[in-house]
Amino acid sequence: MQDNATEVTAAGIARMAGVGRAAVSNWRRRHADFPRPVGGTETSPSFALAEVESWLRKQGKLAEVPLRERVWQQLSGHPDGPVTALTHAGCVLLLIHDRPPVWLELSAGSDERLAEMLPGALREVFTPRFGPESAQPVPQAVNTPGPAPAPAADTPAAVNAVHSPSPASPRPAVHTPTGTELLPSVPLLRGVAELAAELGARQTFEFLLGRHLDANPRQYTLTPADLAGLMADLAGPARTVLDPACGTGALLRAAATRPDQKLHAQDSAPELAALTTLRLALHTWSTVRGATGDTLRADAHPQLRADAVLCHPPFNERNWGHDELAYDPRWEYGFPARTESELAWVQHALARLKDGGAGVLLMPPAAASRRSGRRIRADLLRRGALRAVIALPVGAAPPYNIPLHLWVLRRPEKAPAQPEVLLVDVGQFAGEGRGGPDWRAVREAVLDAWQAFGRPGRFTERPGLARALPVIELLDDDVDLAPARHLPPPAAADGAEQLTSVRELLGETLRLTADLTPPRADTAHPARWPLTTIGELARGGALMLRTGGNGGHARVPVLTDHDVLSGTGPSGTLPESDEEAVLTAPGDVVVPVLGGGSVARVIDTTTAGAALGRNLVLLRPDPAAVDAWFLAGFLRGTANNRQASSYASTATRLDVRRLQLPRLPLDEQRRYGQRFRTLDEFERALRHAGRLGEQLVRGMYDGLTDGTVAPD
């Protein structure tokens, strides 16, 4: 199998050569020998990777395709689709991880021999890791009455059982692929193994999976790592853990590992179930039992009694099985209404817990107050199954525009005499803009309240934050569990003191803003400077240009494009991998490339050390040649950005290499740089004043309406 089977798009060519897509279009028009399209569409053609690589190298535009980029292009251009390619890569990476000598022996032969021998080697790994069922080849089609549903697009052949007798029946997430299925993937698998020799098997899979998720953001609902860690901590250490809607496996990866641990996962999407099962097996030596199938209609683990259940279920589903499951034994607390799919997931979690086991589910806030679910909520409270409801800040998880809840469950060993429920609201820790919550504050507040609630003795109320409420006080006609409706407001004195402090700080900020207001601008004739571009400066060594990564080490704060646009601190995360992150340093200039705004930010000591996120370009000027503030100021010119931007139907992309700068002596650069620095201070002061003003206005409205502030 030749690499010519691997195709690459114009965007992929641009990444390989470090240019914008417009440059690729120009090459196609200007060079008669540019490779011809081999696939795709007229508006979005694809090209043979080997031909493109050869042409770029012949033109001197590419010394060598980086191994990571080459493997990614092979995967994304796989003839059977990227999900199949990623699944095959995960299978081989697990073989390399568990039995590296076997891979070395197999890979020494021809492509045909490797494809023929791999299934047997994979079965030897799959049986102890996933169970004997996964060692079998893909099940064959079964003749059943009626038309069989068509397989989902982009479903990996390695995991797609053609059709079992019942389409809803669960089946193992990973099956051993056949040699015929593996043969088109052999060039990719050799590249993946080479990359694993550099990064490690687990890190290689995380890198490739992260790139795939990043390339298809609308296809997957991700659970943020900080939220997954909080949910795992609330559940506590567990030997057996279940996630019945596992998605990409974030919750099970967050569970604290232990030698005898068993992880159980299920998802209705076959590709997600397979990729997550492989991901978990590479992440831990625990036994992994992954399955594909509709959990509510076809539970793959009906006999399981787990120590913990972690779940981010789908929200607001009408077609969850209401008509078929009316007499299901899982509905111990009442039959959920058609509109209450989330309460079906709650009861499924309780049914799969052992007595005393803990469950933590991410829930929409409506589930705490909808009238159609009040009887089930009441029974959960009476029997002590619902232990806590925690209101999270806006932006904690998708959908980011509403404050989601966490429900903490405990399967009761016996009904408590005087049950209580913990209500917590950490909405006050919402971040600014789209930066996300202050996760450190959220984590500390939630875990502190939860641990105090679990200790003997009376729980001490925390006004505005947490309260332990006797269940009897909630058993009215509504059984409304929204924490904000039951928490005592913050102490009036504290509120008034806080408003006074905000007002004083706002006054100081406004005075500073007035002092920083730029002086009246004098009229001057347009300057006729000789110009250069960022690309020319980079080629000449006057500055270094780097682009944001798709992975990095865990625990490194990530500067996102939203952080740059809003002027806030690093708030993002990247998929964990051993890819070397681009770390910012004082004096760097960071530019967002999407959105069409004229923005550039000079990194200071408070932001230095953060990893550069996606859709950002970092410019590191040589201080002896280019002043950082001069550089950032001229990059913000509206006309400069307009001439360097390309436009699609829904987005604007900036080609940073085409941005222009005047050629000025360093002393003159510093004069302009000082003025740009003053403008930046003025802009920051305006932003800060705006935030303080909003805080003061909101506090005054709240104080006047709750009686803690007098109208006079």
Side-chain angles (χ1 to χ4, degrees):
M1 179 63 60
Q2 298 297 316
D3 278 352
N4 283 345
T6 300
E7 299 176 11
V8 60
T9 63
I13 297 172
R15 282 196 299 270
M16 291 163 60
V19 298
R21 290 184 63 177
V24 178
S25 299
N26 288 336
W27 294 342
R28 292 185 64 196
R29 289 194 299 267
R30 292 167 48 197
H31 297 277
D33 61 339
F34 191 88
R36 300 295 181 189
V38 297
T41 64
E42 184 176 347
T43 57
S44 181
S46 58
F47 308 83
L49 175 62
E51 293 179 9
V52 168
E53 182 182 351
S54 175
W55 186 88
L56 290 173
R57 189 175 292 110
K58 184 173 67 175
Q59 295 290 326
K61 302 180 186 299
L62 181 68
E64 184 63 51
V65 178
L67 178 58
R68 297 183 192 199
E69 190 62 37
R70 180 177 182 81
V71 170
W72 169 248
Q73 294 298 342
Q74 287 178 306
L75 187 146
S76 60
H78 193 282
D80 292 330
V83 175
T84 295
L86 189 54
T87 305
H88 289 173
C91 292
V92 166
L93 286 169
L94 185 59
L95 174 63
I96 294 171
H97 180 270
D98 285 12
R99 302 187 181 186
V102 175
W103 166 258
L104 292 175
E105 192 276 327
L106 293 179
S107 61
S110 66
D111 287 1
E112 290 74 14
R113 177 180 179 273
L114 177 58
E116 181 183 355
M117 300 298 291
L118 260 180
L122 292 176
R123 278 192 289 270
E124 294 297 316
V125 173
F126 288 179
T127 299
R129 288 302 218 113
F130 306 137
E133 300 87 355
S134 62
Q136 303 303 315
V138 178
Q140 299 301 308
V142 176
N143 293 323
T144 55
D154 218 13
T155 299
V159 299
N160 183 27
V162 181
H163 291 300
S164 53
S166 169
S169 298
R171 57 184 184 270
V174 177
H175 283 290
T176 304
T178 65
T180 303
E181 292 166 344
L182 286 168
L183 186 58
S185 300
V186 168
L188 165 68
L189 301 181
R190 293 189 186 277
V192 165
E194 188 179 351
L195 188 56
E198 289 186 8
L199 305 180
R202 179 177 66 84
Q203 292 84 353
T204 298
F205 190 71
E206 287 296 322
F207 163 71
L208 295 173
L209 178 61
R211 286 286 291 265
H212 175 68
L213 296 176
D214 188 47
N216 302 277
R218 297 185 179 180
Q219 294 184 22
Y220 305 100
T221 299
L222 305 182
T223 306
D226 290 302
L227 175 59
L230 175 61
M231 293 173 68
D233 287 342
L234 286 168
R239 188 179 69 86
T240 305
V241 190
L242 166 68
D243 185 347
C246 63
T248 59
L251 293 175
L252 290 175
R253 289 179 72 233
T257 58
R258 46 189 294 176
D260 57 345
Q261 194 171 56
K262 294 183 179 179
L263 302 178
H264 297 261
Q266 184 169 350
D267 200 278
S268 59
E271 67 274 13
L272 273 181
L275 294 176
T276 293
T277 301
L278 292 165
R279 187 185 197 186
L280 292 170
L282 285 163
H283 176 72
T284 174
W285 287 100
S286 303
T287 300
V288 181
R289 293 292 183 264
T292 179
D294 184 328
T295 296
L296 294 181
R297 288 187 174 92
D299 182 15
H301 311 288
Q303 306 304 319
L304 179 65
R305 294 299 177 264
D307 298 304
V309 173
L310 302 171
C311 187
H312 177 174
F315 296 161
N316 303 318
E317 282 198 333
R318 294 297 184 100
N319 185 27
W320 58 267
H322 178 270
D323 295 337
E324 306 102 294
L325 302 173
Y327 302 102
D328 196 287
R330 288 173 290 183
W331 316 142
E332 294 181 49
Y333 302 87
F335 180 40
R338 190 182 303 276
T339 56
E340 294 287 356
S341 63
E342 297 86 6
L343 293 182
W345 285 98
V346 165
Q347 294 192 75
H348 173 81
L350 286 166
R352 295 297 160 262
L353 286 170
K354 70 176 186 181
D355 289 347
V360 184
L361 277 75
L362 185 66
M363 301 282 281
S369 55
R370 280 190 297 239
R371 288 189 61 80
S372 54
R374 65 189 186 277
R375 291 185 179 177
I376 294 177
R377 293 196 299 271
D379 208 27
L380 289 169
L381 291 172
R382 285 191 196 97
R383 296 168 62 180
L386 180 57
R387 303 293 291 134
V389 177
I390 300 163
L392 297 169
V394 171
Y400 290 106
N401 60 330
I402 59 173
L404 300 175
H405 288 179
L406 290 178
W407 284 25
V408 184
L409 311 170
R410 186 84 67 189
R411 182 168 181 83
E413 299 177 76
K414 61 179 181 179
Q418 295 180 325
E420 289 188 329
V421 63
L422 176 67
L423 302 178
V424 181
D425 189 342
V426 288
Q428 60 187 288
F429 301 119
E432 297 175 351
R434 295 182 62 183
D438 180 350
W439 277 110
R440 179 177 296 178
V442 169
R443 181 184 181 85
E444 290 177 356
V446 169
L447 293 181
D448 184 53
W450 174 244
Q451 290 162 6
F453 179 66
R455 289 193 288 265
R458 185 174 180 80
F459 180 85
T460 303
E461 282 187 1
R462 295 143 198 223
L465 184 64
R467 180 184 185 187
L469 203 63
V471 163
I472 191 66
E473 295 187 24
L474 295 168
L475 298 180
D476 54 15
D477 289 341
D478 295 321
V479 196
D480 191 334
L481 306 183
R485 294 185 179 133
H486 303 285
L487 294 179
D494 293 343
E497 276 182 30
Q498 187 176 11
L499 286 178
T500 301
S501 175
V502 171
R503 188 178 184 280
E504 291 174 354
L505 190 55
L506 176 60
E508 293 174 8
T509 305
L510 290 173
R511 286 190 290 273
L512 175 63
T513 305
D515 294 339
L516 292 172
T517 302
R520 185 172 62 89
D522 296 328
T523 304
H525 294 293
R528 300 295 182 185
W529 295 303
L531 299 175
T532 185
T533 66
I534 294 298
E536 291 172 352
L537 290 172
R539 286 191 292 273
L543 57 81
M544 183 178 67
L545 186 148
R546 300 287 300 274
T547 57
N550 292 285
H553 298 288
R555 304 179 186 277
V556 177
V558 176
L559 186 69
T560 69
D561 53 347
H562 299 300
D563 299 332
V564 175
L565 293 169
S566 61
T568 55
S571 66
T573 58
L574 288 173
E576 183 182 347
S577 76
D578 275 355
E579 179 178 355
E580 184 179 355
V582 179
L583 301 182
T584 59
D588 290 344
V589 177
V590 177
V591 184
V593 296
L594 293 181
S598 303
V599 178
R601 178 171 174 178
V602 178
I603 299 298
D604 55 21
T605 54
T606 60
T607 313
L612 191 69
R614 306 180 186 98
N615 302 321
L616 291 175
V617 170
L618 179 145
L619 305 175
R620 182 164 294 165
D622 179 354
V626 180
D627 180 79
W629 285 100
F630 163 80
L631 172 64
F634 274 94
L635 295 189
R636 293 191 61 172
T638 302
N640 198 5
N641 274 258
R642 188 180 297 123
Q643 63 83 28
S645 296
S646 58
Y647 304 92
S649 57
T650 59
T652 302
R653 187 172 187 89
L654 180 68
D655 184 351
V656 175
R657 292 175 179 271
R658 292 173 53 190
L659 288 169
Q660 297 176 335
L661 285 177
R663 295 181 182 272
L664 296 178
L666 192 56
D667 289 344
E668 188 70 5
Q669 291 183 34
R670 288 170 178 158
R671 284 186 59 228
Y672 275 97
Q674 185 56 45
R675 189 65 182 272
F676 288 137
R677 184 196 290 262
T678 304
L679 278 175
D680 182 77
E681 292 174 358
F682 176 62
E683 184 178 33
R684 288 172 184 261
L686 284 176
R687 277 205 194 102
H688 190 45
R691 289 194 289 264
L692 289 171
E694 291 175 2
Q695 188 178 347
L696 180 61
V697 169
R698 172 51 51 201
M700 289 297 296
Y701 270 110
D702 290 344
L704 287 167
T705 54
D706 65 19
T708 58
V709 174
D712 298 331

